[in-house]
Amino acid sequence: MAHTGNNSMHRSSSRPQLDLSKAEIQGNVEEKYPTILLPNQSHDISHLALDIGGSLIKLMYFSRHEDQSTHDKRMRNVKNRLDGNRRSYPILGGRLHFVKFETSKINECLDFIYSKQLHCGGGESRYSDATTDSNAIIKATGGGAHKFADLFKERLGLSLDKEDEMSCLVAGANFLLKAIRHEAFTHMEGQKEFVQIDPNDMFPYLLVNIGSGVSMIKVDGDGKFERVSGTNVGGGTYWGLGRLLTKCESFDELLELSQKGDNSNTDMLVGDIYGGMDYSKIGLSASTIASSFGKATSEKKELEDYRPEDISLSLLRMISYNIAQISYLNALRFGLKRIFFGGFFIRGHAYTMDAISFAIHFWSKGDAQAMFLRHEGFLGALGAFMSYEKHGLDDLMVHQLVERFPMGAPYTGGKIHGPPLRDLNEKISWMDKFLQKGTEITAPVPMAPPGTTGLGGFEVPLSKGSTLRSDASALNVGVLHLVPTLEVFPLLADLKMYEPNTIDLSDHSELEYWLKILSEHLPDLVDKAVASEGGTDDAKRRGDAFARAFSAHLARLMEEPAAYGKLGLAKLLEMREECLREFHFFDAYISIKQRENEASLAVLPDLLMELDSLDEETRLLTLIEGVLAANIFDWGSRACVDLYHKGTIIEIYRMSRNKMQRPWRVDDFDAFKERMLGTGDKKPPPHRRALLFVDNSGADIVLGMLPLARELLRRGTEVVLVANSLPALNDVTAMELPDIVAEAAKHCDILRRAAESGGLLVDAMTNTYDSSKENSSSVPLMVVENGCGSPCIDLRQVSSELAAAAKDADLIILEGMGRALHTNLNARFRCDALKLAMVKNQRLAEKLIKGNLYDCICKYEPAN
Amino acid sequence: MDLKKAQTDPILDPNQSNYVYHLALDIGGSLAKVVYFTKDDDHFVDGEEGLSHRKALEKSNGSRQYPVLNGRLNFKKFETSKINDCVEFIKSMKLHFGGSQRQAIPGSQPIAVKATGGGAYKYADLFKERLGIILDKEDEMDCLVAGANFLLEVVHQEAFTYMGDQKQFVQIDQNDLYPYLLVNIGSGVGMIKVEGEGKFERVSGTSIGGGTFWGLGKLLTDCKSFDELLDLSYRGNNRAVDMLVGDIYGGMDYSKIGLSSTAIASSFGKAISDNREREDYKPEDIARSLLRMISNNIGQISYLNALRFGLKRIFFGGFFIRRHPFTMDTLSVAVNFWSKGEAKAMFLRHEGFLGAVGAFMSSDKHGLKELLANQVVQRTPSKLSFAVDKIIHGQPDGDESIECSVYAA
């Protein structure tokens, strides 16, 4: 590894400079333009890009991840062992932020850039003097990039480097479709359905960008596109005519008005002409619009006699239908199978999308579907961003992006007060103010209401009402985390078919149930979180803020399940953990975990002795029973939290194990046993390497999974314990495991030798790398992090070290509800897989296995 | 075809038919169009004398001799909202009396008149009550197509192009007329693929049509009539309301995609300005912008449909055009722009009356259709006695007539 020992990326507060040390040319030097890697180039180059349109300014900026110093000895050791000659990453890890402003309020945009110090190289130097770099050049597109060039130069000293608008649009769309899972969706009669586009089969498509006017672009590939058509009847027409005809003050107000309209008062319908009858001969129903505004020709009525709602709806339909029609005709003309609509006119506005979808359906007679993009509006800005030479986004794969939705920043009473939130304290104060004002936060991450919104940390309120709604459409755009170290778990049998979630949250009752569960669990979680930080006033304040923020998320999802994209239970549970971290609760269960680990470790020697006294077959069964029994200890489950108050760990464990009456609800134990022990004289070879996806701390890991790991080690199988990178509930983390193993190893030779061999007992050694080689008498026990901080796991996005460890594995054991039930119960692998869990939720038991609370699952699926 | 039958039909004998063969109606959403035939000698007569006088001329046509009725096909428009004017007109012209007999025959069957357009349903009762006539509804599109086919086949110099103030008549070879796209711009717009006599299909349309122009125009200006709005548009400048490509790119063309700085990027896109209200815009400019928006759009959708079905010609008709030069010009420019010069918009001199003519044709008691279809068209049309010699411009609301002769048995 070139840069593991060199990760001291000190942030200089000086002016941006390229750090060329350790620069290396990546790839084949014979290539004409090899990629140049700048491993020591930190966040100093401001990756800021703008799309300045006629109505809105879209801004995108990139910030580096803070260094998560996971470069402890464990990791280095694992890397030495597993990584071999793994490639280094040309992609910078970091975050992409999306922000919008109204063009007419361009000063807000300038202030934002200034206060975030984006014009002088990224957020980190924000406390330094705002010395502007007179040479700074940023990429910009949109008509305003020309128009406002002088203003940017004068105010911020920034030169705008103008990029072609359409190239940007296409580059942005291609990137999103390629890199973001479920970026596209259809919208029919209010229902969003996310669509996964196969990146290998996405071309050609028609991209319809509806801004003030409309451009229709045929896209054949990266950088291969042509503007084939367009229309001057677009968003500007809607808003322009709407403004002349109504008293609306903003585009969004006009849109909202349309929802209460009835266009039959202004439009001449087929029924009006045919006296209420359909003109069925040509397939026109009585409600088809024969002539938009055709009824406004009446002599007796003046403009004032028409309802603005009706006018707005009539306008909206006229324009949406027209755009859809022309788009469809062009798609047909060029044989394009997909039509994506984007641009600010859509703004995720449900009615607009419905109107366009309806029209596409109508004109194509159902052959074609309109599709929309979650990041519509940001295509141009993204494209401009990508026009930087070394943005690294080109190489980015879908599995390397994680979208998160942090609570936003200051908006009170309709005005932006002061600069964007810079730290947690400001964020909390802001939320406090909110509460004082009695304003309900229903939108954690508002997206560009009329007053323009900052995303991911900066936002402006809607002008009216006491309820802050994000946007009529209710689609939020989060912060995109670029995590170059994420990979697809290589042992998945069929990546295309893989869906981690087993519960379909698009079923509304299901969603309601789980939101309620999370909601009910919230006070307990807040208590724990506050206690984990010592119960200080500061912690209490943060706890309140967290509770408010997370409740807002839940309320938001209740109102609009698609608000954060395609929703799954895994995402929902991870959101809770992320929200905790956002308010600096890094490990809410830390003390509970420690207490339970200690208690469990104390009884471990007795358990191991008991196990060793059993014959091989009984021992295997007892071990599996033990895993299932120990899995009862789960702070994520209400039922189990109640149990805790009724006895000691070992009592509960033994009681639980004794109740393990076979057959379990799902019981493949015999098949597993046959693979392990064989039948008769046939002794099958042991597995080469087993990956054990562990779940909770305490009894679960210590009394359940460790003994099972020990058994595998004893049989000559290498064991890799796969644990969370970041805390989630009381799940054990990869950081904590080495200590637990070391403690357990004190009483067990097998574990000790394996742990030494795996380099886990670092304290005992001076040079872990060398000693692990010497000590190869035992198969190793290793620990890797899984790359996530959620109680569930999406195997499309795992850490590179897990992916590396998986290469030699031929057995996977998934344990616990989060990883084996909520997710992955139906996952198929290319090697033997054992899924073990106790069902600690009645509804889940009914849904998944038609069983009951505390039923057990032992699902064994041999490799084909 | 049995030519003999065609010749011997007593097409003008009022006693054998209760059809008023000389009158047909097309009642659309905005306008009611009336087509009626008058004989030369009673054209200007108020109906007091010589009413049943039939002047049959013998005219040579090949080896046969036919009686010919000289007269005019008259065209008149009324706003549908003033349908009473239409009723009064028919009454005053006594067009509602059967045939040449200008008096109701007591006890006879009610008299039927061919009619098309949505209003033929809607106003059926009114006509029955006020004039005692039954509207015999003909399918709208059948009429439209029949009317267009008839005019294109029979009337010399019916079609023309119009670009940059240049009107150019197009001689269409009747053997090469089909298939074509007929775009009828009424309140809404119907687009019809025509492949031959009676062979056609409505392939598309748009709700943004004449009704939209007049409806939005009425809401946005103080115009009292469609024509006033049209006139206004002629004097306007759309730059004040439309966002042009140059407005976005600071006066520069976006030449990469072939858009000049004067191209409209967004119709009414400039009207979003915070500081200006409706009163601050000149009605002329608004009218102009509206007209360009709508014409442009129709031109574009028409072209795309012509392309889709491989149709070589696009004819625009319907009352929206009203032979307004600017409307025709924008439609032509749009077709020219979107087709990159490969297609041309064509117009019909009798745009607006296609449906009415078609309805008129559908009652073949007058024999026009038979004669034309069976004899004249298949022979030498230039020698037709149904010839349009001049168009007589009547009142401002678009009266006109075609001088013609009808063969009589």
Side-chain angles (χ1 to χ4, degrees), chain A residues 12-17 44 46 113-122 124-137 152-158:
Chain A
S12 73
S13 57
S14 63
R15 294 168 54 179
Q17 273 185 334
D44 286 341
S46 169
I113 293 173
Y114 186 81
S115 71
K116 284 258 175 201
Q117 294 286 293
L118 296 173
H119 59 308
C120 32
E124 302 304 325
S125 52
R126 60 193 171 210
Y127 296 114
S128 68
D129 287 343
T131 45
T132 51
D133 183 344
S134 55
N135 294 319
I137 295 171
F152 275 84
K153 184 81 190 160
E154 189 187 308
R155 289 279 304 277
L156 299 170
L158 287 176

Side-chain angles (χ1 to χ4, degrees), chain A residues 169-180:
Chain A
L169 216 56
V170 171
N174 283 350
F175 169 77
L176 288 168
L177 287 170
K178 194 181 73 175
I180 301 197

Side-chain angles (χ1 to χ4, degrees), chain A residues 164-165 212-213 229-230 232 237 239 243-244 273-274 279 281-282 290-292 298 303 322 325 332-333 363, chain B residues 118 139-141 187-188 204-205 207 212 218 249 254 256 265-267 272-273 276 278 297 300 307-308 338:
Chain A
D164 178 70
E165 196 164 351
S212 298
S229 197
N232 47 303
T237 313
W239 177 211
R243 237 188 79 74
L244 296 181
I273 302 179
Y274 294 93
Y279 192 29
K281 190 183 165 189
I282 51 172
S291 172
S292 293
S298 157
L303 178 56
N322 193 61
Q325 180 177 17
L332 206 63
R333 175 179 178 187
W363 291 112
Chain B
D139 178 77
E140 193 166 4
M141 222 173 311
S187 299
S204 196
S207 70
T212 314
K218 204 171 159 317
Y249 294 93
Y254 193 30
K256 192 185 164 190
S266 171
S267 290
I272 63 170
S273 158
R276 299 184 75 186
R278 182 156 44 93
N297 197 58
Q300 180 178 18
L307 203 65
R308 175 180 179 188
W338 292 111

